Amino acid sequence: MTGTVEVDTPTPVDVVCLGESMVTFLPSRPGRLADVPSFARTIGGAESNVACALAAAGHRVKWVSRVGADGFGDHLVDAVGAYGVDTTGVRRDPDRPTGIYFRTANDRSGAAHEVVYYRAGSAASAMSPATVAPEDVASGRVLHLSGITPALSDDCLALTRELLRPREGRPLVSFDINHRPALWREAAGARVLLELARGADLVFVGEDEAEEAWGLRGAEAIRAALPEPTTLVIKRGSAGAVVHSREASGAAGTTVGGADTVTSVPALRVDVVAPVGAGDAFAAGFLSATLRGLPVEARLRHGHLMAAAVLTVPADLGTPPSRAHADRLAALDPEAWETLRLGPGWTAAPEQEAVTP
């Protein structure tokens, strides 16, 4: 593979997702963490979220990671595997724990939102070129990474750089920026993320995080800073998403010169229950449609639909719509798309998918 998805090429796995997953504790009620009496256990992790969503959508997916030889590690492997994800690429670390975190129930963007991580020295932070089997990461048509992994440790950064190194036979590499300033050990984290993203074939970045990390405003400025990826997906929140794309060349990690094709799709109107995990779901929807060889506009629409499936549930993962249901909504004419409104339960009840204001 040389940077483009060959739709009809049979391979054992469609997508390999590499990254840390943690056991997540969700509060039983809104309020400060200090005041919450109990928590419900679930799972969370950008790359495993993408893996679970893709598997639930019918794709063959492998998750590569490292967890502790503890009960939380058992739970993570079982929970991710229950979605149909291949977990044979997950290694157990006898000396380091599985990461966990707690968060409040309110919107992540709000001033009162709290997240407390217990992930320093976690098993996943020990991932490196020496501890990850090359055959695991090279077994798919697409390798999906995020900017969270290189922030975990110097070894994780070295691994990410190795996976993004241009080479013949490299799968299409998808990279979600996922800028998390608190994870980086130095202020240079934003610069490192830009360097890494320039080595990927497909990049997902939020307009807001590009401004926060690099001081860039608008899709054109972001594209100018990231000219190498064949596909650049810029998420614009309630304004929708835009894709800058161009043809790939014969060498992985490089592109053919020429003007971009720019495609924009407005966001859906969604009755939001919780915003956590929506970016991962968007990436999964876009990747799913990419694997199926759908046009760029349809890829964006499937990204929005998969995100809506998560936005309408309280946890990091939601039940995606059936492929037929999603295809029917993605094929709506522009006016119908812009007036569509989705609320809780829409993925399981097609007849109630359009909620009028």
Side-chain angles (χ1 to χ4, degrees):
M1 179 148 315
T2 57
T4 58
V5 174
E6 298 174 10
V7 177
D8 296 326
T9 302
T11 55
V13 178
D14 292 323
V15 182
V16 173
C17 297
L18 180 145
E20 180 175 37
S21 190
M22 293 175 290
V23 172
T24 309
F25 290 93
L26 303 179
S28 57
R29 70 183 189 195
R32 300 185 312 155
L33 287 179
D35 301 326
V36 175
S38 60
F39 297 81
R41 184 186 65 176
T42 182
I43 62 173
E47 300 84 3
S48 61
N49 285 348
V50 173
C52 292
L54 283 168
H59 296 282
R60 298 162 298 177
V61 189
K62 187 172 190 173
W63 174 46
V64 176
S65 190
R66 198 171 180 88
V67 300
D70 50 33
F72 287 145
D74 294 341
H75 175 62
L76 276 177
V77 173
D78 291 345
V80 174
Y83 281 85
V85 176
D86 178 351
T87 59
T88 58
V90 180
R91 302 290 180 260
R92 309 304 291 263
D93 191 320
D95 301 317
R96 298 175 180 84
T98 303
I100 64 173
Y101 78 97
F102 297 78
R103 67 173 173 85
T104 49
N106 49 297
D107 189 334
R108 176 179 282 171
S109 63
H113 184 68
E114 297 173 74
V115 180
V116 179
Y117 290 102
Y118 296 92
R119 74 195 307 178
S122 69
S125 70
M127 289 190 294
S128 72
T131 63
V132 173
E135 59 270 23
D136 283 335
V137 293
S139 60
R141 297 162 64 187
V142 175
L143 172 62
H144 180 71
L145 309 169
S146 93
I148 294 174
T149 299
L152 299 179
S153 68
D154 290 340
D155 282 342
C156 283
L157 174 56
L159 172 63
T160 307
R161 282 186 166 134
E162 173 61 23
L163 295 175
L164 285 163
R165 180 175 57 82
R167 62 187 181 276
E168 288 300 324
R170 191 184 83 173
L172 183 145
V173 179
S174 165
F175 187 79
D176 194 334
I177 295 297
N178 265 323
H179 182 227
R180 301 286 188 269
L183 289 181
W184 288 93
R185 300 165 301 287
E186 53 186 44
R191 176 185 56 75
V192 173
L193 278 179
L194 186 63
E195 167 215 322
L196 295 172
R198 294 179 68 176
D201 303 298
L202 165 59
V203 172
F204 297 94
V205 60
E207 205 171 39
D208 55 346
E209 66 182 344
E211 182 171 359
E212 178 186 25
W214 308 315
L216 301 173
R217 294 187 179 183
E220 294 296 332
I222 298 170
R223 182 50 157 171
L226 288 166
E228 292 87 356
T230 56
T231 305
L232 175 63
V233 183
I234 300 166
K235 298 171 290 183
R236 306 178 63 214
S238 60
V242 60
V243 171
H244 285 248
S245 57
R246 65 170 68 105
E247 292 298 319
S249 74
T254 62
T255 59
V256 171
D260 279 348
T261 297
V262 180
T263 308
S264 180
V265 169
L268 289 163
R269 295 191 295 168
V270 179
D271 296 329
V272 176
V273 173
V276 180
D280 304 327
F282 182 96
F286 190 93
L287 286 171
S288 175
T290 300
L291 287 161
R292 296 171 59 201
L294 300 183
V296 174
E297 182 178 11
R299 298 178 194 186
L300 283 170
R301 286 191 172 196
H302 278 277
H304 285 310
L305 289 166
M306 195 77 86
V310 171
L311 288 168
T312 50
V313 297
D316 288 20
L317 290 163
T319 301
S322 68
R323 184 169 291 185
H325 187 191
D327 283 344
R328 185 163 57 83
L329 294 181
L332 291 172
D333 63 62
E335 182 178 359
W337 175 265
E338 292 186 32
T339 57
L340 183 68
R341 182 173 176 179
L342 302 174
W346 73 270
T347 62
E351 68 277 8
Q352 298 176 8
E353 71 203 9
V355 181
T356 54

